[in-house]
Amino acid sequence: MLSLIVFLPIIAGLIILAVPASQKQIIRIVSLLAAIAQGVIAVLIWRHYDPTMAGIVAAPGGSPFGSFQLIERIPWISLNLGSFGPMTIEYFIGVDGISITMVILTALISIIGVLSSWTIQKQVKGYFILFNLLSTAMMGCFVALDFFLFYVFWELMLLPMYFLIGIWGGPNREYAAIKFFLYTLFGSVFMLLVMIGLYFSVVDPMTGNHTFSLVAMADQANYVKGSILGPDSTTWRYIAFIVLFVGFAIKVPMFPFHTWLPDAHVEAPTPISVILAGVLLKLGTYGMMRINFPLFPEVYQAGLYIIGVFGAINIIYGAFCALAQQDLKKMVAYSSISHMGYVLLGLAAANSEGMLGALYQMFNHGTITAMLFLLVGVIYDRAHTRAIDKFGGLASYMPVYFGVVMIAWFASLGLPGLSGFISEAFVFVGAFSAPITRPIAIVSVLGIVFGAAYLLWSLQRMFLGKRKPDAAYELESDGHGHEHIHFHDWNGKLDLDARELTMLVPLAIIVIALGIYPMPVMGMLTTSINKLVQVLAPVAMSAVK
Amino acid sequence: MFEMPSGAEIQSIISTLRAGAGYFIPEIYLSALFMVLIILDLVLGHRKNRILASATIVGLLGSLFFVFQQHAIPDAEIFFGMYALDRFGIFFKYFFVLSGILSVVISMEDEELNRQESGIGEYYALIVAMVIGMMLMASSTDLAMMFLAMELVGLSAYVLTGYLKRQPRSSEAALKYLIYGAVSSGMLLYGFSLIYGMTAQTNITKISMELSSHGYDPLVMIFASLLVLAGLGYKMGAVPFHFWSPDVYEGAPTPVTAYLSVGSKAAGFAMLMRFFFVAVPHGKAGVEDMLNIDWLAILMIISAASMIYGNVVAIWQKNVKRLLAYSSIAHAGYLLLGIITMDKIGTQATLVYLSAYLLMNIGAFYVIVLISNKIGSENLEDYKGLGKKMPLAGAALTVFLVSLVGLPPTFGFIGKLMIFTALIGKGDLYMWLALIGIMTSVISLYYYMLIPLNMFLRESDRQDQQDVKLGMWSQVVTTVLMVATLYLGLFFQPIAEFAKYSASMFGAVLN
């Protein structure tokens, strides 16, 4: 079932390949069907998932696959490397609490992405083939439990993304696309070296062979003494941790590796921004939780303070940058940087509350930011500009739009009752209760204030007050005392149309519902998070040694 | 004074040769094919290009059968230690035949080549001659034989490079190639003569025994190694012996460029491995010379320099063929990484990398020929907007280029993976080399992506409607090459196994 959810989009892509390029509607529908099927499977997985099983790592004496669920494990490549013994690569996928949240998020965002791509008119066939490829790669990353497989999916994302930004993007798209590509590749090529090093350092307890299995790698007992990343090779383990961390941090993106993100977001078309902010950024923090931290727990413990500081920088720096933006989309992009900082802060807390908050924040940020970017797209479609100063008084002319904007904006600033509040609250509870991160948390709280500042300020400038003299739309009076506005070159519905509502309303419902009752998502991940904290704890480390 | 051998000696020589001939069938067969092609060229009238090409392909395919039969024969040295039949050589025999076939496939498409007024003539025969020469290069175990084999490859290549007689750039390329080739042959020969002077042997195994049992003057040895390296480095196109390659690659007919960049380079590597693994003592105590550098250190420097120089200079290239020329310098550096590990995994990695390089580089050149047939240009500028008009060619070229960068899921990634696998855990020095390799491959992404960038991200500024539709045959070949690059990126086991089997030939000398 997991394979199906991973490869459905690629199958759709192959079908699209056979469809003539002029049949745009068929191409769109095929993609949508694949995405919906993914969604259905995701719901089935969610229903089927047993939240009492932890995953993360194989229990001593238990199944070598750990308590992962929906495992599929097929030998893929087995090479005899002479003195190194056989090199085995497996097609090994499965889910635990950490990944299932992300799988559901990916399926959800994929559907939104396809719907949002409906208005793409340029080279529709190529667009959807790349889109589906990207979709498969993202999903694959979240379920892969073999490092090699993970790496293949991870790199597979780059090329479609490059073209999606580069062909369908804005005026400065060439620069943004190659910048994205080079930054992320720079991070991941070093990951390749670590991956090989890990392979030589870890043996599968069942077979005694070296392995790429992340489950085996997460258990420190499986590391060979004297190997390059073995327990006694402290220097290399620190280097490997830092290399991995930078690789994932580029994706998050963590200050100072964040500069590709505003460029990529501003140039990318709306659906790609949605995918980028909704799913791709989470791969960075997911990678940290799945690979970076559990594989090198002692380095993680030593680096908590630094991770926390970077998290705080992200939160505050991102908020400041957002405050300074004139371009609405750039503001949302910087708000993403700020909000991903909360995830880092939660991860630095190294306790259940913080970790839980971090993972829940990843899910919530995915849905909220998707909404934000969709809403930016809505206004950009109409006004062909995103300059915040070109609007004013929109609330009275586009009431439905304003209503949805209110939900998204307030969810983003963490208003109680909306999902963002709960995850941020958990992050702060975790960060305050850990002595290391307490001072950082105190500083980071300022981020909430600044977050409220840029969000409310933009809300005020765009929606409240009166139309500005140089606004991007004209006022028209219908002669009965009512005033309407009119955008140039826009013949569609002034307020949100059906397609836009189809995308936004479910997201809004999720944001509200999970803000009131978070258990449907949180319930799935608590066991895994507790296990992860246990694996990462210094006590567990010394016990293994 | 030279003495006439007695009758009995002549008898024994003849019987040895006769016995050796049984181990030499693919080469003999290809020599026959070479002659058949020349005769066919003379017999056939006009419009013979297709027939000649098809005959070459069929002939080369036939030779695969004879190579295949050699699997059953145990490793042996023949012709008085001049030549070896072993699995290392067999790997390269397959390699060269395949590269020959693919070059012929490209040549069939190249309109520039087929439009030649003087006809295609002995072009295909020369390709076959080069296949023979490269096979000899890979399997020779004797200094004299090595030199002759290299000259056979070189001479065929000079003629092929200058094959577009009406094109000044082609002639210029051939002349440059010839001059550089002559100089490097001279250096190689000088190096060989020094080694012969030290050991009084020409067989590489005997040289090795002689050197390790009687010792040698390290200064002379390092000098000889340098000279030999210069000769081989020229064939491999590694820094600092690369100066010919951008001009030659740009000027030569594109199929020949493809052939040179893959076949002749691989032959250089095959010879390098055989010569240095077997002939030069290494890894044993007391072989470090007074300057405290050994040939391994030299190779490391060459490798690092090639990776950095090739990848950095390629950034500024405006011509696609020239761009790939610099990239091929960089790839020589990556291939050397596998050799300097001096172990079986490294050798295996080199062989896998070469296989990947064969597929992706030939694939890239094939698409370049297709494009140049349509737009008559190899300039990056003229590639603008082509992706929309030629989606298949654009997609395939992107796959080949991504494979050249070394990203999954392509065969090129597997090559890089194996190379880095061989490097990791060998020590800090090797780790630094791996880091250089990693960093430079990020740089390479930038210039490789310039091609898709122009094809897909930019709009053409040409007004005229070009007919850019590809023929059925071109589409099929492109698709096959592209799918193979992707397929082998996911399921590379057979090739890696075969490479391992071939590398095991050096069981006695490598770890």
Side-chain angles (χ1 to χ4, degrees):
Chain A
M1 195 142 85
L2 267 188
S3 286
L4 199 60
I5 199 173
V6 173
F7 292 106
L8 256 175
I10 257 193
I11 295 168
L14 289 175
I15 295 171
I16 291 172
L17 206 56
V19 176
S22 53
Q23 299 291 331
K24 293 183 181 177
Q25 205 62 17
I26 295 179
I27 290 168
R28 292 184 188 121
I29 289 170
V30 169
S31 301
L32 183 62
L33 286 178
I36 289 175
Q38 262 189 316
V40 170
I41 298 173
V43 170
L44 287 176
I45 290 175
W46 175 52
R47 302 293 305 163
H48 182 264
Y49 182 79
D50 176 2
T52 58
M53 286 167 74
I56 309 288
V57 66
S63 150
F65 316 131
S67 45
F68 282 87
Q69 300 178 39
L70 299 163
I71 288 171
E72 288 171 42
R73 197 179 204 219
I74 306 162
W76 177 10
I77 286 150
S78 175
L79 275 181
N80 199 339
L81 282 184
S83 53
F84 285 104
M87 178 188 220
T88 46
I89 302 171
E90 288 169 320
Y91 177 76
F92 180 19
I93 57 175
V95 287
D96 63 0
I98 303 179
S99 39
I100 189 163
T101 347
M102 292 297 115
V103 167
I104 292 169
L105 177 69
T106 309
L108 176 68
I109 300 294
S110 292
I111 300 176
I112 305 287
V114 174
L115 280 173
S116 168
S117 309
W118 223 257
T119 47
I120 298 275
Q121 295 298 336
K122 186 178 163 188
Q123 298 177 54
V124 175
K125 182 172 171 178
Y127 176 88
F128 276 102
I129 290 173
L130 290 167
F131 186 95
N132 282 309
L133 197 59
L134 178 67
S135 183
T136 285
M138 292 186 308
M139 197 60 101
C141 265
F142 286 126
V143 298
L145 290 177
D146 184 284
F147 205 155
F148 187 91
L149 186 65
F150 176 86
Y151 191 79
V152 169
F153 281 128
W154 177 272
E155 297 277 69
L156 189 62
M157 277 183 307
L158 300 185
L159 199 65
M161 204 63 192
Y162 168 81
F163 283 121
L164 286 169
I165 298 175
I167 301 180
W168 289 273
N172 204 9
R173 53 183 192 262
E174 276 180 22
Y175 171 74
I178 196 69
K179 192 171 179 182
F180 163 81
F181 207 160
L182 285 174
Y183 258 77
T184 34
L185 185 73
F186 185 78
S188 57
V189 283
F190 287 101
M191 201 190 293
L192 175 67
L193 291 186
V194 177
M195 179 179 98
I196 299 169
L198 279 168
Y199 173 77
F200 285 135
S201 310
V202 177
V203 289
D204 189 334
M206 301 296 286
T207 58
N209 292 331
H210 288 296
T211 176
F212 280 113
S213 160
L214 287 170
V215 183
M217 284 177 181
D219 187 349
Q220 295 301 316
N222 294 334
Y223 285 74
V224 184
K225 268 212 159 61
S227 57
I228 183 158
L229 294 174
D232 40 3
S233 173
T234 317
T235 316
W236 281 118
R237 280 179 70 84
Y238 270 75
I239 293 174
F241 178 87
I242 294 168
V243 164
L244 277 182
F245 187 74
V246 170
F248 291 126
I250 289 174
K251 206 78 158 192
V252 169
M254 184 185 85
F255 177 89
F257 309 113
H258 65 283
T259 60
W260 64 268
L261 182 82
D263 286 315
H265 267 313
V266 169
E267 301 306 328
T270 303
I272 301 310
S273 280
V274 169
I275 298 272
L276 188 60
V279 182
L280 247 63
L281 305 189
K282 275 80 212 166
L283 272 162
T285 38
Y286 172 78
M288 289 178 187
M289 294 173 95
R290 167 72 64 218
I291 299 171
N292 202 358
F293 299 164
L295 268 50
F296 304 99
E298 82 283 11
V299 193
Y300 163 70
Q301 290 293 342
L304 287 180
Y305 188 76
I306 299 169
I307 299 170
V309 167
F310 274 116
I313 294 177
N314 253 37
I315 295 173
I316 294 171
Y317 173 83
F320 268 128
C321 287
L323 205 50
Q325 297 311 316
Q326 289 301 314
D327 183 326
L328 187 62
K329 202 168 184 187
K330 223 166 182 167
M331 187 199 87
V332 176
Y334 277 108
S335 89
S336 272
I337 295 176
S338 180
H339 282 104
M340 290 309 283
Y342 292 110
V343 180
L344 286 173
L345 182 62
L347 293 177
N351 48 27
S352 293
E353 297 87 345
M355 289 274 184
L356 196 64
L359 186 52
Y360 196 43
Q361 168 78 352
M362 281 156 69
F363 186 87
N364 291 335
H365 179 254
T367 46
I368 295 170
T369 316
M371 277 183 85
L372 294 178
F373 277 113
L374 287 173
L375 290 164
V376 173
V378 165
I379 196 70
Y380 182 71
D381 281 347
R382 287 160 174 74
H384 306 292
T385 178
R386 293 180 301 246
I388 298 176
D389 286 341
K390 294 274 180 192
F391 302 95
L394 277 180
S396 49
Y397 309 118
M398 299 169 73
V400 183
Y401 179 61
F402 181 60
V404 184
V405 164
M406 290 274 278
I407 298 172
W409 253 241
F410 282 114
S412 182
L413 69 77
L415 190 76
L418 298 169
S419 62
F421 167 73
I422 296 184
S423 46
E424 283 175 26
F426 267 90
V427 165
F428 278 111
V429 168
F432 271 112
S433 59
I436 297 178
T437 47
R438 191 170 298 144
I440 306 171
I442 292 169
V443 179
S444 302
V445 173
L446 287 175
I448 296 191
V449 180
F450 297 130
Y454 66 77
L455 286 162
L456 292 176
W457 193 33
S458 64
L459 202 66
Q460 182 199 344
R461 282 187 287 171
M462 287 182 68
F463 293 94
L464 307 179
K466 286 205 161 67
R467 174 188 176 273
K468 296 202 178 72
D470 58 343
Y473 48 87
E474 306 295 330
L475 272 182
E476 285 171 357
S477 180
D478 64 355
H480 301 285
H482 292 291
E483 282 185 331
H484 297 278
I485 56 169
H486 175 71
F487 291 102
H488 302 291
D489 309 324
W490 176 254
N491 303 317
K493 205 172 166 214
L494 179 61
D495 213 330
L496 296 179
D497 63 21
R499 184 184 59 88
E500 288 158 348
L501 282 172
T502 325
M503 296 185 288
L504 287 164
V505 169
L507 285 174
I509 292 173
I510 290 172
V511 167
I512 296 170
L514 289 180
I516 297 165
Y517 185 66
M519 284 321 281
V521 172
M522 243 184 197
M524 288 189 303
L525 42 93
T526 36
T527 324
S528 292
I529 287 291
N530 287 335
K531 181 79 184 173
L532 180 64
V533 171
Q534 191 193 332
V535 166
L536 295 176
V539 191
M541 270 302 296
S542 54
V544 167
K545 270 185 180 164
Chain B
M1 276 303 290
F2 185 71
E3 283 174 42
M4 275 298 286
S6 67
E9 276 173 331
I10 292 177
Q11 279 302 320
S12 92
I13 288 172
I14 290 175
S15 64
T16 314
L17 290 179
R18 227 184 237 156
Y23 296 88
F24 202 58
I25 294 173
E27 290 86 345
I28 295 175
Y29 168 83
L30 284 172
S31 309
L33 177 66
F34 171 73
M35 285 181 269
V36 168
L37 286 173
I38 289 191
I39 294 167
L40 264 183
D41 175 37
L42 295 174
V43 173
L44 293 169
H46 287 291
R47 316 300 310 151
K48 61 197 171 186
N49 292 4
R50 287 259 148 193
I51 305 175
L52 274 177
S54 318
T56 315
I57 292 181
V58 172
L60 285 172
L61 281 173
S63 74
L64 287 178
F65 168 74
F66 294 105
V67 179
F68 183 72
Q69 293 214 314
Q70 292 190 322
H71 280 290
I73 307 174
D75 295 357
E77 275 202 345
I78 53 171
F79 301 145
F80 308 102
M82 291 285 247
Y83 200 73
L85 169 62
D86 50 34
R87 41 207 136 141
F88 182 72
I90 290 177
F91 178 90
F92 278 100
K93 281 173 191 167
Y94 282 120
F95 186 93
F96 295 136
V97 171
L98 283 177
S99 69
I101 293 174
L102 289 170
S103 308
V104 175
V105 170
I106 305 181
S107 307
M108 287 167 74
E109 297 279 355
D110 192 351
E111 284 177 7
E112 200 179 13
L113 198 63
N114 287 308
R115 271 202 313 266
Q116 284 261 75
E117 282 169 34
S118 49
I120 201 86
E122 51 290 326
Y123 176 88
Y124 291 113
L126 282 168
I127 285 195
V128 173
M130 225 170 124
V131 172
I132 304 170
M134 294 189 296
M135 280 187 178
L136 297 180
M137 270 178 85
S139 296
S140 298
T141 52
D142 186 283
L143 298 185
M145 190 67 204
M146 281 177 168
F147 180 72
L148 282 177
M150 219 164 121
E151 286 304 285
L152 175 55
V153 174
L155 289 171
S156 319
Y158 305 146
V159 183
L160 286 174
T161 305
Y163 215 84
L164 300 174
K165 288 169 200 123
R166 308 253 167 224
Q167 290 258 14
R169 63 177 171 91
S170 177
S171 310
E172 183 195 326
L175 190 63
K176 276 185 182 157
Y177 197 22
L178 173 68
I179 291 170
Y180 277 108
V183 172
S184 69
S185 294
M187 294 213 258
L188 181 81
L189 206 54
Y190 188 26
F192 279 172
S193 70
L194 283 176
I195 292 172
Y196 179 70
M198 281 191 288
T199 60
Q201 296 290 350
T202 55
N203 180 285
I204 54 172
T205 322
K206 288 188 183 137
I207 288 172
S208 172
M209 276 154 45
E210 197 73 28
L211 286 175
S212 46
S213 60
H214 290 100
Y216 51 86
D217 183 346
L219 199 60
V220 179
M221 188 61 203
I222 206 82
F223 191 48
S225 298
L226 271 178
L227 286 168
V228 173
L229 257 184
L232 292 173
Y234 154 83
K235 272 268 171 289
M236 299 184 299
V239 173
F241 316 108
H242 64 281
F243 291 104
W244 59 275
S245 73
D247 290 339
V248 171
Y249 279 22
E250 190 186 353
T254 314
V256 176
T257 308
Y259 195 33
L260 289 181
S261 72
V262 173
S264 145
K265 188 184 282 281
F269 274 98
M271 214 160 120
L272 178 82
M273 283 191 261
R274 198 182 277 278
F275 180 75
F276 274 112
F277 287 166
V278 178
V280 184
H282 53 75
K284 291 160 192 146
V287 294
E288 279 197 343
D289 60 283
M290 52 191 265
L291 299 169
N292 209 20
I293 49 168
D294 53 344
W295 70 272
L296 207 55
I298 301 171
L299 278 185
M300 282 182 183
I301 295 166
I302 291 179
S303 163
S306 301
M307 288 188 288
I308 296 171
Y309 177 86
N311 279 323
V312 172
V313 177
I315 294 176
W316 289 278
Q317 300 311 316
K318 301 272 175 265
N319 179 296
V320 177
K321 274 164 83 178
R322 230 180 145 76
L323 188 148
L324 285 179
Y326 281 102
S327 107
S328 101
I329 295 172
H331 282 283
Y334 293 121
L335 285 160
L336 276 173
L337 286 180
I339 294 178
I340 54 178
T341 57
M342 294 291 295
D343 58 15
K344 269 179 252 166
I345 299 191
T347 313
Q348 178 190 5
T350 309
L351 298 184
V352 172
Y353 199 102
L354 274 173
S355 320
Y357 188 65
L358 165 75
L359 197 57
M360 59 203 184
N361 217 35
I362 293 254
F365 276 113
Y366 182 74
V367 178
I368 287 171
V369 165
L370 294 181
I371 291 174
S372 126
N373 282 344
K374 300 296 177 194
I375 66 170
S377 163
E378 281 131 13
N379 282 332
L380 213 43
E381 285 284 303
D382 298 324
Y383 275 47
K384 276 184 188 167
L386 271 184
K388 213 190 271 180
K389 295 179 202 157
M390 310 169 85
L392 177 67
L397 190 54
T398 307
V399 168
F400 297 133
L401 294 173
V402 164
S403 180
L404 283 164
V405 180
L407 294 184
T410 58
F411 200 13
F413 168 65
I414 304 304
K416 285 240 164 73
L417 175 81
M418 302 275 295
I419 294 264
F420 291 130
T421 304
L423 282 174
I424 284 194
K426 299 229 82 171
D428 291 355
L429 198 55
Y430 293 92
M431 207 57 138
W432 279 109
L433 284 169
L435 281 181
I436 294 177
I438 285 283
M439 300 283 278
T440 49
S441 56
V442 177
I443 300 176
S444 77
L445 174 85
Y446 177 77
Y447 66 79
Y448 284 127
M449 288 315 280
L450 285 178
I451 299 174
L453 173 92
N454 276 294
M455 292 184 86
F456 289 103
L457 270 59
R458 293 186 175 156
E459 297 294 331
S460 167
D461 34 40
R462 291 177 64 134
Q463 299 303 317
D464 53 329
Q465 282 295 315
Q466 296 161 298
D467 172 35
V468 289
K469 205 142 174 54
L470 293 180
M472 192 65 193
W473 166 251
S474 314
Q475 290 191 19
V476 169
V477 175
T478 314
T479 313
V480 167
L481 288 173
M482 175 171 69
V483 170
T485 307
L486 291 171
Y487 178 82
L488 288 170
L490 294 171
F491 306 96
F492 53 93
Q493 196 165 343
I495 294 201
E497 293 282 359
F498 185 44
K500 178 184 185 301
Y501 168 75
S502 303
S504 68
M505 206 272 297
F506 295 110
V509 285
L510 296 180
N511 302 316

